[in-house]
């Protein structure tokens, strides 16, 4: 089994997210998909606005998705410890994920003593399936 980890807010789960999950699962012959849900405090800090759903609601939404094997909650401060706890073999980043954590991800993982493969996934109709566009 290959542990694949993805990250996001997941205020809703739309076709773009489903494609993200499919792409992440396709990275290994026997995948185990771990979805990390961003803390509301972190989302507000990074995106400038709070998610519409609570952390518990977003987790429940993902747990119902048959492509997802495990849902974990991210950290309010920092991010590397919850990744180390999940022991991913592969980290699959969305096409649009960037910023402070992504820019130093490889260095921070190495410093923590783990070295999962980092893969950037392809966009799936981002002009249609992007949460900020769908929730208007």
């Amino acid at each position: 089994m290959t542990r694949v980890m993805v990250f996001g807010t997941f205020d809703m789960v739309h076709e773009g997210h489903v494609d993200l999950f499919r792409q992440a699962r396709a990275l290994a012959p026997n995948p185990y998909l771990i979805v990390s849900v961003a803390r509301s405090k972190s989302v507000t800090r990074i995106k400038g606005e709070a998610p519409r759903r609570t952390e518990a609601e977003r987790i429940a939404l993902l747990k119902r998705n048959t492509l997802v094997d495990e849902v974990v909650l991210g950290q309010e401060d920092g991010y590397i410890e919850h990744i180390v706890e999940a022991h991913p073999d592969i980290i699959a980043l969305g096409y649009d994920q960037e910023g402070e954590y992504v820019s130093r991800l490889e260095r921070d993982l190495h410093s923590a003593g783990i070295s999962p493969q980092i893969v950037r996934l392809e966009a799936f109709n981002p002009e249609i399936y992007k949460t900020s566009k769908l929730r208007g």
Side-chain angles (χ1 to χ4, degrees), residues 4 19-31 33 90 121:
V4 182
D19 186 71
L20 174 94
F21 301 156
R22 284 188 190 123
Q23 284 187 60
R25 293 184 71 80
L27 295 171
N30 187 17
L33 183 61
I90 300 171
L121 301 177

Side-chain angles (χ1 to χ4, degrees), residues 13-21 23 122 124 129-130 134:
V13 177
H14 53 67
E15 284 302 313
H17 292 129
V18 172
D19 186 71
L20 174 94
F21 301 156
Q23 284 187 60
E122 298 294 319
F124 177 78
Y129 298 113
K130 189 157 178 69
L134 289 170

Side-chain angles (χ1 to χ4, degrees), residues 4-76:
V4 182
M5 191 170 195
V6 298
F7 307 84
T9 303
F10 304 107
D11 224 358
M12 61 174 64
V13 177
H14 53 67
E15 284 302 313
H17 292 129
V18 172
D19 186 71
L20 174 94
F21 301 156
R22 284 188 190 123
Q23 284 187 60
R25 293 184 71 80
L27 295 171
N30 187 17
Y32 181 85
L33 183 61
I34 304 161
V35 177
S36 174
V37 177
R39 300 299 299 253
S40 294
K41 178 181 171 184
S42 299
V43 174
T44 302
R45 184 175 56 78
I46 293 169
K47 294 186 176 185
E49 63 181 73
R52 290 187 179 180
R53 295 179 190 257
T54 67
E55 292 170 358
E57 290 170 329
R58 293 183 283 132
I59 289 168
L61 188 65
L62 289 162
K63 284 186 174 182
R64 291 192 298 266
N65 190 298
T66 58
L67 295 171
V68 175
D69 295 302
E70 182 179 344
V71 181
V72 298
L73 191 57
Q75 297 168 234
E76 286 193 359

